[in-house]
Amino acid sequence: MNIGRILLSKTSLPSGHYYSLISKKKMMTEKKTKKGYEKKKKMMRKRSKENMVQKLYDTCKQVFANDSLEPKDIKFTAPSLEASCSSPGTKEAPLVTYIKLHECNKFSIGIFCLPPSGVIPLHNHPGMTVFCKLLSGTMHATSYDWVQNQHQFNNCRELQAPGMRLAKVHVDADFTAPCNASVLFPESGGNMHTFKALTPCILLDVLGPPYSEAEGRHCQHYQQHISFSDVKEMEVIKEDETRTYAWLEERNDQFVVLGGTYDGPKIQR
């Protein structure tokens, strides 16, 4: 007797047998559904864990969607950016002020206030995703990414000194607010960058995750020694593109900033 007849001839079965067959089929269906749900949930959990950088990017992209954020929205008391904090008669850049809005082990939000000629030296962001938004002023930004296939540049090895590593220029331009927010990733987008204020500037900085010596995210500073174009020297250029490269050397300099106080709208944690 096939299953079809059993289900249609319930009167020929012992009491409760028909319902037990139905219940068994229902249980098997629910089991398959639950198994599929758990598998899907596991995959989503795995995908979510592996792509935290994308989640950070999507969140910040949504925040900066209209790019209309201005200093007045933050309502903090900015230091005097017109006056230079450097000693008279010296060539040192004036000190930069940093105002921390929030910091935890997941991300940090802060604001850099740069007087004219103020500089944030060339530094990296190991394993980090960073959003920068120039809120006011004009500054020059230069950023680099490491060259991964450095062996293709053997004909320029004579330019390299011990301790230097080859980097490719990602951005080298002036920016004036209002302008779009920029994003850099652990290995692309200009992971190493430097800024020089041409006028008083206010720069919003979002790091995810923030620097942490314990977790291996050390802020390393660099110095550019030699830059060159790949027009003639390189055999790996694209037909319609000219790239600029530079040799960078690690420095042990410390970036000293003035601490500012945030007195804007409270952040609900």
Side-chain angles (χ1 to χ4, degrees):
M1 183 181 292
N2 59 42
I3 296 296
R5 288 184 179 178
I6 291 176
L7 296 180
L8 292 174
S9 306
K10 61 180 180 180
T11 55
S12 63
L13 299 174
S15 176
H17 194 182
Y18 172 79
Y19 294 101
S20 67
L21 289 173
I22 297 296
S23 299
K24 186 176 181 180
K25 184 177 181 181
K26 183 178 180 181
M27 288 174 63
M28 290 177 65
T29 302
E30 290 180 348
K31 188 176 181 181
K32 289 181 179 179
T33 303
K34 185 177 180 181
K35 186 177 180 180
Y37 172 76
E38 291 296 332
K39 184 178 180 181
K40 184 177 180 181
K41 187 177 180 181
K42 186 177 180 180
M43 289 177 63
M44 291 177 65
R45 219 174 16 240
K46 183 179 179 181
R47 189 180 299 117
S48 175
K49 186 176 181 180
E50 291 177 347
N51 208 4
M52 292 302 294
V53 170
Q54 184 63 46
K55 290 180 67 176
L56 174 64
Y57 173 80
D58 292 340
T59 300
C60 290
K61 185 177 180 181
Q62 182 179 1
V63 172
F64 296 124
N66 56 11
D67 269 315
S68 61
L69 188 66
E70 298 179 4
K72 64 181 181 181
D73 298 318
I74 302 174
K75 299 177 182 177
F76 71 97
T77 303
S80 175
L81 300 181
E82 296 292 346
S84 172
C85 299
S86 60
S87 302
T90 67
K91 295 183 179 181
E92 295 180 1
L95 290 177
V96 174
T97 298
Y98 180 74
I99 301 173
K100 181 172 68 176
L101 277 67
H102 173 75
E103 183 172 347
C104 62
N105 62 347
K106 301 296 184 182
F107 66 95
S108 66
I109 305 173
I111 296 173
F112 287 100
C113 301
L114 296 82
S117 299
V119 174
I120 298 178
L122 183 61
H123 61 285
N124 68 344
H125 306 84
M128 301 157 66
T129 299
V130 180
F131 274 77
C132 294
K133 169 71 173 175
L134 183 60
L135 302 181
S136 69
T138 298
M139 64 168 47
H140 186 88
T142 308
S143 64
Y144 305 85
D145 288 313
W146 292 122
V147 171
Q148 302 301 329
N149 57 342
Q150 189 168 325
H151 65 278
Q152 299 187 48
F153 296 80
N154 291 331
N155 54 339
C156 291
R157 289 286 181 153
E158 65 274 9
L159 301 175
Q160 181 183 15
M164 292 186 185
R165 185 176 174 184
L166 189 63
K168 177 178 62 179
V169 176
H170 179 73
V171 169
D172 187 9
D174 293 344
F175 294 88
T176 300
C179 57
N180 293 336
S182 62
V183 58
L184 61 87
F185 299 97
E187 295 183 0
S188 63
N191 186 270
M192 298 165 288
H193 62 198
T194 177
F195 302 105
K196 181 176 182 179
L198 304 180
T199 68
C201 292
I202 299 176
L203 179 69
L204 177 66
D205 198 47
V206 181
L207 308 179
Y211 289 107
S212 172
E213 293 282 350
E215 297 180 12
R217 294 188 297 275
H218 167 70
C219 181
Q220 178 64 55
H221 290 89
Y222 300 91
Q223 179 180 3
Q224 174 184 316
H225 281 273
I226 301 174
S227 62
F228 53 89
S229 170
D230 63 358
V231 176
K232 294 182 179 179
E233 294 89 340
M234 305 299 157
E235 298 178 356
V236 293
I237 61 173
K238 296 181 180 179
E239 293 182 1
D240 59 345
E241 183 178 4
T242 298
R243 296 182 177 181
T244 302
Y245 297 83
W247 294 108
L248 303 183
E249 181 183 21
E250 292 186 1
R251 296 176 60 96
N252 294 322
D253 298 348
Q254 295 296 318
F255 177 39
V256 179
V257 297
L258 298 173
T261 302
Y262 174 68
D263 53 8
K266 292 185 178 180
I267 296 175
Q268 300 298 324
R269 296 176 172 80

